[in-house]
Amino acid sequence: MSKDKETSKDDFVDDLTFKRFTARIQHENEERKKNGIPTAKYDISSGKAYLEYADGRRVYANKT
């Protein structure tokens, strides 16, 4: 195999792995929402972690 074909094959595998990982995380977050379990998220603009509940409520973490 030429170097270009190996690179494109590796890129394809990486892309496929990323898509599967993203789909799995989305599925788990949907399941958490259905079961009323909060999801941990991060607010980039404020630089704080928070829990998001199924009703949309956000509870920010306190620094200790």
Side-chain angles (χ1 to χ4, degrees):
M1 241 188 241
S2 73
K3 186 73 172 168
D4 292 336
K5 288 183 181 177
E6 287 179 17
T7 301
S8 64
K9 181 180 176 184
D10 290 342
D11 289 344
F12 172 75
V13 171
D14 289 344
D15 188 45
L16 184 60
T17 301
F18 180 75
K19 286 180 181 179
R20 287 180 177 169
F21 175 77
T22 303
R24 182 63 187 166
I25 294 299
Q26 288 174 345
H27 175 73
E28 287 184 19
N29 286 342
E30 289 170 8
E31 288 296 314
R32 288 174 159 274
K33 191 178 254 188
K34 281 185 207 175
N35 294 322
I37 301 170
T39 303
K41 295 189 177 185
Y42 184 77
D43 186 352
I44 295 172
S45 62
S46 69
K48 295 181 180 179
Y50 63 92
L51 291 176
E52 184 173 73
Y53 289 84
D55 61 2
R57 173 173 50 114
R58 291 181 178 184
V59 177
Y60 284 86
N62 296 326
K63 287 187 177 181
T64 56

